[in-house]
Amino acid sequence: FDIDFTDPNEFKPEGDERFAQAIKANGRVILSADYLSADSTVGAEGASRMSRAIDMFIDPAAGWGFDNFKPDQDFIVRRHMHVPPNPDDDNFSSMTWEAANLVAPPGSMKPGDRRLERWFNYYGPPGTIPGVSIYLALATNDDCPPGFFSNKVVFVGGAVKTHFSGERKDEYRTPYTKNRFIPGMEIQATQFLNLLHRDWLTRFSPRTEFLVVVFAGLLFGIGLPRFRPLTATGVALVCAALVTGLAYYLFWQKRIWFPWLVLVGAQIPIALLWSILYNSLSAYVQNRLLEQSLGLYLSPKQVQRILKEPGLRQPGGSKQVVSILFSDIAGFSRISEQLDPQELVQLLNAYYETTIRCIHKTDGTIVDIIGDAIFAIWNAPELQPDHQERMLQAVQMFQKNVTQFNGKAGSMALQTRVGLHTGEVVVGNVGSTEHFDYAAIGDNVNLASRLEGLNKQLSTEVLMTRAAISSVKGDWLLRPVGFFQFKGLENYVEVIELVVNAGSADETRAWREAFAAALVEFGKKNFDAAEAGFKRTLKLRPEDGPSKFYLKQVGEMRAHELPEAWNGGVSLKEK
């Protein structure tokens, strides 16, 4: 009975006697008591005690025990309670323990086991354990089927509703429902069945649970960030499903419960969020670093295109006609000997800040920077129909900015020599997926480099091939300086000078025409006329490097027998 018969019936004492006789006749009745802790007991000494049934009922009963629960804050009873909270009251046991001890096999209910930690194993929502109203059970009609109580353990009690604050609570929630309440009597029956069937739930030790939670947190926190967000989401869902499946397996098969929702509802989502944030931040940092690295070689417009098209960063190359620029600083070895390393680096940084900007303004691509040399191309990786025009515009700004750079107070004057050419090369990433190295490779690259070196012999600043201006539409100040066969190459190449920092077309016309006439005579083997023409050019322009170069060549040509088909080409002995 989940009813505390603490007071006698003063109006019908014969009813108590009949009830006591019925208890004795049955011989298998367990009565309940209410455990009153020291805090709730009003007495001389304030000791905890049991508020039990009167002796008239206790004496014939097979046993009695307390009916108290210890619900959690959410009004769910999760733990068995077979020993009062006060250790000094170990002689008391619960009503359900006494009932199970009555019907269980002899020796299976050991008194010392009452303190074992047991967790409720609810068999379902309220009403899972069958019940019937007591007035129907006592009725003589057919409202209660015959044999309904035969060979069963029957719990008798009330389904008390709590209406007001402060009323004693005898209805609770279960893990199966939050909005419906289960009467305390059904919880007593559940606790009894757990004991009788020995199918209560157990938990790992607090230390084991702590280690599992910590290990899982480390595993998810370290593991998920190793995957990209989409993959990490899939892995997180799989892990959540595995944890849930493991939890249900342990619950149904092993009767073990552990706080798996900590893993599924907290750790995995937090680890997934951390993974997404970590990868997003990492991708942002990597993109910023890549953007800064590419910014050293490409214009901002090209950088954005390459970042949007990862395929451009894949290993491999393709043939492409490009315009090529090579430049270096004249007398750089001598300059480097005059400066300490730190001053030299500062000088180069200021120089590159001035010159590279010119290439980026025309959307050129810096392929490489080696020491004082710059290697740049146009028409790759982005196609540019006017790539030759862009190259010449860059060179014009290049020389203008270098002139301004040299004019700054405290700055060492640097003379820049440039070689230009247009031709087919192989362009692409010659590195790997982890190391982006955009390059241009081919004989035409070598030719542009040779043109840059020829400036030293001709004392010029910018030299180019005829191919470099084949489609140029702008009004550029140019003068042909002859045909040259570079060392290691078979064919002669027509070389043209882009005249910079020498005045306008009208101001330079006289010496350019004098040089052009002398070059024609040189090609016809009229060396006397050619010599006179080059000297005339030097009178008009005393520091004209090509004229000085050809005056030396005239002396050499006179000393050698020239082929009939010779047209004025000069074979270079140095690279």
Side-chain angles (χ1 to χ4, degrees):
F1 282 87
D2 187 20
I3 302 173
D4 299 340
F5 300 104
T6 56
D7 299 309
N9 190 338
E10 296 180 356
F11 299 100
K12 292 184 178 182
E14 65 276 11
D16 288 349
E17 292 177 359
R18 291 174 58 188
F19 184 52
Q21 292 172 1
I23 293 175
K24 182 177 181 180
N26 182 274
R28 300 171 69 83
V29 175
I30 302 296
L31 298 178
S32 66
D34 191 13
Y35 176 79
L36 302 176
S37 65
D39 295 337
S40 61
T41 300
V42 179
E45 298 180 359
S48 58
R49 64 182 180 86
M50 285 290 180
S51 177
R52 64 177 194 172
I54 59 178
D55 293 339
M56 179 184 293
F57 301 147
I58 287 290
D59 293 340
W64 64 274
F66 62 85
D67 58 4
N68 300 71
F69 294 127
K70 190 177 181 180
D72 293 330
Q73 291 183 348
D74 55 0
F75 296 108
I76 295 179
V77 182
R78 292 184 172 88
R79 301 192 188 196
H80 281 210
M81 185 176 175
H82 302 297
V83 177
N86 189 345
D88 296 333
D89 296 331
D90 193 36
N91 54 318
F92 297 132
S93 61
S94 68
M95 174 184 67
T96 54
W97 180 273
E98 295 296 332
N101 190 42
L102 180 65
V103 299
S108 61
M109 305 292 292
K110 298 178 181 180
D113 291 343
R114 286 184 295 132
R115 287 193 174 275
L116 293 178
E117 185 179 57
R118 296 175 176 86
W119 297 78
F120 266 84
N121 179 16
Y122 286 93
Y123 302 104
T128 299
I129 299 176
V132 65
S133 178
I134 193 168
Y135 86 91
L136 295 177
L138 298 177
T140 57
N141 53 32
D142 295 333
D143 291 331
C144 184
F148 182 77
F149 299 104
S150 177
N151 198 33
K152 292 185 176 68
V153 175
V154 181
F155 279 76
V156 182
V160 181
K161 297 290 184 181
T162 303
H163 298 285
F164 303 102
S165 175
E167 285 187 318
R168 183 168 179 176
K169 190 76 174 176
D170 195 35
E171 55 180 353
Y172 307 91
R173 293 189 176 97
T174 75
Y176 286 92
T177 178
K178 290 186 177 180
N179 298 321
R180 293 176 58 193
F181 288 86
I182 183 174
M185 180 180 60
E186 189 169 346
I187 294 182
Q188 295 284 8
T190 301
Q191 185 171 236
F192 164 78
L193 288 173
N194 285 178
L195 290 173
L196 185 64
H197 297 159
R198 306 186 69 83
D199 60 355
W200 60 79
L201 302 181
T202 59
R203 291 181 65 172
F204 297 116
S205 66
R207 182 174 181 272
T208 300
E209 287 188 354
F210 174 78
L211 292 176
V212 169
V213 171
V214 171
F215 176 77
L218 291 175
L219 181 63
F220 297 136
I222 297 175
L224 288 181
R226 295 179 178 274
F227 300 98
R228 294 183 179 276
L230 187 60
T231 304
T233 302
V235 172
L237 291 175
V238 170
C239 290
L242 290 175
V243 171
T244 303
L246 177 61
Y248 272 84
Y249 170 78
L250 292 175
F251 180 81
W252 291 111
Q253 299 297 324
K254 304 297 182 181
R255 303 300 178 191
I256 297 175
W257 181 87
F258 74 98
W260 60 280
L261 282 177
V262 173
L263 279 62
V264 175
Q267 286 187 331
I268 293 179
I270 292 174
L272 179 59
L273 178 61
W274 159 244
S275 171
I276 293 173
L277 291 175
Y278 173 81
N279 280 280
S280 298
L281 181 61
S282 178
Y284 173 78
V285 172
Q286 290 177 4
N287 281 339
R288 289 293 298 170
L289 291 175
L290 180 60
E291 185 176 353
Q292 292 177 2
S293 298
L294 293 177
L296 299 175
Y297 304 94
L298 308 175
S299 68
K301 178 180 178 181
Q302 291 172 312
V303 169
Q304 293 305 315
R305 184 188 173 203
I306 288 180
L307 291 176
K308 292 178 180 178
E309 300 182 30
L312 295 175
R313 305 199 298 268
Q314 298 301 315
S318 60
K319 291 184 178 180
Q320 178 69 33
V321 174
V322 298
S323 290
I324 308 164
L325 175 148
F326 263 95
S327 75
D328 76 345
I329 300 173
F332 182 73
S333 298
R334 175 180 51 81
I335 295 173
S336 62
E337 292 175 355
Q338 298 175 4
L339 301 175
D340 63 49
Q342 185 174 0
E343 292 176 337
L344 183 62
V345 169
Q346 291 176 349
L347 177 65
L348 284 177
N349 286 339
Y351 168 77
Y352 286 137
E353 188 70 25
T354 300
T355 55
I356 290 178
R357 189 184 303 116
C358 305
I359 297 173
H360 284 173
K361 282 184 178 180
T362 57
D363 291 330
T365 301
I366 305 293
V367 177
D368 205 355
I369 297 176
I370 305 174
D372 64 319
I374 299 175
F375 172 23
I377 61 173
W378 284 259
N379 204 38
E382 186 178 21
L383 294 179
Q384 299 164 325
D386 58 342
H387 56 93
Q388 292 179 323
E389 198 81 31
R390 290 172 182 265
M391 178 176 65
L392 294 183
Q393 291 173 357
V395 172
Q396 189 176 53
M397 289 187 292
F398 202 101
Q399 296 295 340
K400 179 180 179 182
N401 287 357
V402 169
T403 300
Q404 295 175 350
F405 174 81
N406 293 338
K408 291 181 180 179
S411 175
M412 180 175 290
L414 302 178
Q415 180 186 0
T416 302
R417 299 183 297 221
V418 180
L420 307 175
H421 179 51
T422 297
E424 187 178 72
V425 299
V426 176
V427 293
N429 184 7
V430 297
S432 66
T433 55
E434 297 181 355
H435 177 72
F436 183 80
D437 189 8
Y438 195 78
I441 302 173
D443 291 339
N444 287 310
V445 175
N446 187 35
L447 179 56
S449 177
R450 298 292 185 86
L451 284 167
E452 180 274 316
L454 182 59
N455 281 291
K456 183 177 181 180
Q457 298 185 52
L458 298 184
S459 298
T460 51
E461 292 182 343
V462 183
L463 294 178
M464 68 183 75
T465 61
R466 175 66 66 179
I469 57 170
S470 59
S471 61
V472 172
K473 299 178 181 179
D475 186 16
W476 303 97
L477 191 56
L478 308 173
R479 71 158 167 173
V481 291
F483 291 84
F484 295 87
Q485 183 186 39
F486 294 95
K487 186 176 181 180
L489 301 180
E490 296 182 359
N491 299 323
Y492 284 86
V493 178
E494 183 180 7
V495 178
I496 299 171
E497 179 188 9
L498 175 64
V499 181
V500 293
N501 301 324
S504 65
D506 293 336
E507 293 172 343
T508 61
R509 180 174 289 108
W511 60 263
R512 285 190 293 110
E513 292 178 349
F515 178 83
L519 191 61
V520 170
E521 297 299 331
F522 181 80
K524 293 179 179 181
K525 303 178 185 179
N526 296 329
F527 296 122
D528 292 341
E531 183 178 27
F534 291 131
K535 290 181 178 179
R536 188 180 312 112
T537 303
L538 287 173
K539 288 183 180 180
L540 297 172
R541 192 188 189 203
E543 299 300 324
D544 188 57
S547 296
K548 294 180 180 180
F549 174 82
Y550 276 106
L551 285 176
K552 294 180 181 179
Q553 292 297 318
V554 167
E556 293 183 7
M557 297 302 178
R558 283 172 175 165
H560 296 85
E561 188 70 25
L562 298 174
E564 286 291 331
W566 186 79
N567 62 351
V570 178
S571 297
L572 300 174
K573 300 178 182 179
E574 300 178 1
K575 288 187 178 181

